[in-house]
Amino acid sequence: MDYEPASSTPSRVGLTLETYILEGMMGRPHARGYFTSLLSQIAMCAKLITARVRRAGLANVLGYTGDVNVTGDQVQKLDQEANETLFRVLGRRQHCAAGASEEEETIRLLSESKNAEYLVVFDPLDGSSNIDVNISIGTIFGVLKKDHPGQARVEDFLKPGKQLLAAGYVIYGSSTMFVITTGEAVHGFTYDPTVGEFFLSHENIRVPEHYPSYSINEGNAALWSDALKQWSAWIKEPDKPSGRPYTQRYVGTLVADAHRTLLRGGIFAYPADKKSPQGKLRLLYEANPFAFIFEAAGGCAITGAERILELQPTELHQRVPLILGSKRNVAELERFLKQ
Ligand code: AFP
């Protein structure tokens, strides 16, 4: 990879993630650097976790511990390591008051410093059932503001996704990539393990308006509503002008399926069904961060009936139906659901 931006273009490709985060503070004379510091800590976690993920097979860390987490999933060693890494690193600089992890029942207090104004929600290792078979996994995070001077409480985390200050994810795929937004542009940084840095590789990511591709677990089709079944039949009907039949892609790791959808377009859906009437994915750790990213990139994210970012969470581990992707693809499914 050539890290020198071409002199004839204003592109910032090649910028390090650290510089990008620092630049975010520049031009804001009253910025104290706490938010910048927090984002740097998250980037540090991404490096530490990627180092562990890349050595997973060799280091003999695969396999179940035998524990079951609060949402009923089996916990793997890498999940625990990623979880502990995030809590440990976030607790170091006294800017993060508390964290909420998909792996833990309740929040963990990290600092009572008056400078600890931020809260971080995260899924430390998404797609953990794919670890053992060497398929892409990821880390998802969102940053919220604690808007009172006291100790962080669970209620502080129960804010609609539109109040996120930043969201992002790390995909441990054929390379490791860190994708982040503070609600405006969405940028992707690719990790160069020989240098130990993330470099801007995908500047200002925009979700295409439409793409003939869909991502859904069709194994659940018997449990779907009639409207969903009709949509599923419609996308498979040959119709050249509209690009149908659409092609299917499904990894079973949200980070991987959403990442592909963000870059290529199309639709990802984990809808409500008879087995999971509230959906399967978690509002705080999965749906909100991705909804924030997709909207910032010009795409959209809905439950089927409402915009994800408007939902008022009522509990930390709340599940929600999630449909996200290109505006036109999502509108097509919405049309069927509203019939
Ligand atoms: P795991 O972390 O237990 O593998 O779950 C992954 C996940 O929460 C999300 O990343 C996927 O999109 C979704 O579950 C896949 O669920 P199905 O296996 O039911 O399709």
Side-chain angles (χ1 to χ4, degrees):
M1 193 190 296
D2 178 8
Y3 299 128
E4 292 301 318
S7 53
S8 56
T9 68
S11 161
R12 295 194 301 158
V13 165
L15 194 78
T16 67
L17 176 57
E18 200 66 28
T19 308
Y20 165 78
I21 291 171
L22 280 171
E23 280 186 0
M25 198 179 77
M26 290 174 197
R28 288 190 288 128
H30 302 297
R32 293 156 306 169
Y34 302 162
F35 184 60
T36 306
S37 166
L38 184 82
L39 294 182
S40 296
Q41 294 294 85
I42 296 174
M44 170 55 74
C45 292
K47 289 183 191 176
L48 294 172
I49 298 170
T50 201
R52 202 70 181 117
V53 167
R54 297 299 173 208
R55 285 187 292 122
L58 291 171
N60 193 25
V61 295
L62 297 179
Y64 294 105
T65 61
D67 294 338
V68 168
N69 72 10
V70 287
T71 45
D73 305 321
Q74 283 200 296
V75 177
Q76 293 192 291
K77 289 180 187 169
L78 267 181
D79 300 48
Q80 290 175 338
E81 288 189 22
N83 193 47
E84 288 309 323
T85 299
L86 276 149
F87 276 121
R88 193 177 64 246
V89 175
L90 288 172
R92 269 188 203 144
R93 286 196 195 154
Q94 312 287 306
H95 302 318
C96 183
S101 163
E102 195 203 274
E103 293 294 333
E104 305 211 348
E105 189 159 353
T106 192
I107 62 170
R108 259 205 229 181
L109 296 178
L110 295 174
S111 171
E112 291 195 31
S113 157
K114 65 174 176 26
N115 298 332
E117 296 176 353
Y118 297 102
L119 307 167
V120 180
V121 288
F122 55 86
D123 180 351
L125 215 57
D126 171 61
S128 48
S129 59
N130 277 331
I131 297 173
D132 277 348
V133 284
N134 211 352
I135 287 176
S136 298
I137 50 180
T139 298
I140 312 169
F141 67 89
V143 181
L144 290 160
K145 185 99 191 238
K146 178 169 72 70
D147 43 23
H148 61 83
Q151 198 177 66
R153 303 170 299 227
V154 167
E155 305 81 82
D156 299 327
F157 287 83
L158 304 181
K159 289 184 182 150
K162 63 184 179 187
Q163 290 187 31
L164 284 165
L165 300 179
Y169 63 89
V170 189
I171 178 164
Y172 312 103
S174 48
S175 57
T176 296
M177 212 170 137
F178 190 104
V179 176
I180 184 167
T181 183
T182 52
E184 291 163 5
V186 180
H187 296 305
F189 296 79
T190 302
Y191 189 60
D192 183 339
T194 61
V195 185
E197 287 287 355
F198 285 98
F199 292 92
L200 182 60
S201 52
H202 295 64
E203 189 175 17
N204 197 14
I205 297 170
R206 303 295 297 166
V207 188
E209 276 286 307
H210 187 266
Y211 189 70
S213 172
Y214 69 103
S215 187
I216 192 167
N217 185 344
E218 296 226 64
N220 294 331
L223 306 169
W224 291 348
S225 66
D226 288 345
L228 207 54
K229 286 180 188 161
Q230 282 159 17
W231 166 78
S232 163
W234 179 80
I235 56 179
K236 292 177 195 111
E237 276 169 20
D239 176 56
K240 252 196 175 157
S242 62
R244 288 178 290 143
Y246 295 169
T247 188
Q248 190 199 27
R249 295 284 182 272
Y250 191 73
V251 177
T253 296
L254 174 64
V255 169
D257 286 315
H259 181 67
R260 184 195 54 251
T261 308
L262 186 76
L263 297 186
R264 295 254 167 89
I267 187 166
F268 167 86
Y270 209 112
D273 60 34
K274 284 185 194 134
K275 191 171 119 207
S276 317
Q278 310 305 324
K280 175 184 176 186
L281 302 177
R282 290 78 169 174
L283 177 58
L284 260 60
Y285 316 106
E286 296 174 311
N288 272 343
F290 272 110
F292 194 71
I293 294 164
F294 269 75
E295 287 205 4
C300 56
I302 59 170
T303 59
E306 291 159 276
R307 185 177 162 227
I308 294 282
L309 294 181
E310 296 285 347
L311 298 176
Q312 172 61 55
T314 53
E315 51 178 302
L316 287 176
H317 294 281
Q318 187 172 340
R319 294 177 191 262
V320 71
L322 176 63
I323 297 165
L324 52 76
S326 298
K327 276 189 175 152
R328 269 175 49 212
N329 292 73
V330 172
E332 286 166 0
L333 174 51
E334 208 177 3
R335 210 174 53 234
F336 279 88
L337 296 176
K338 283 188 173 160
Q339 268 167 22

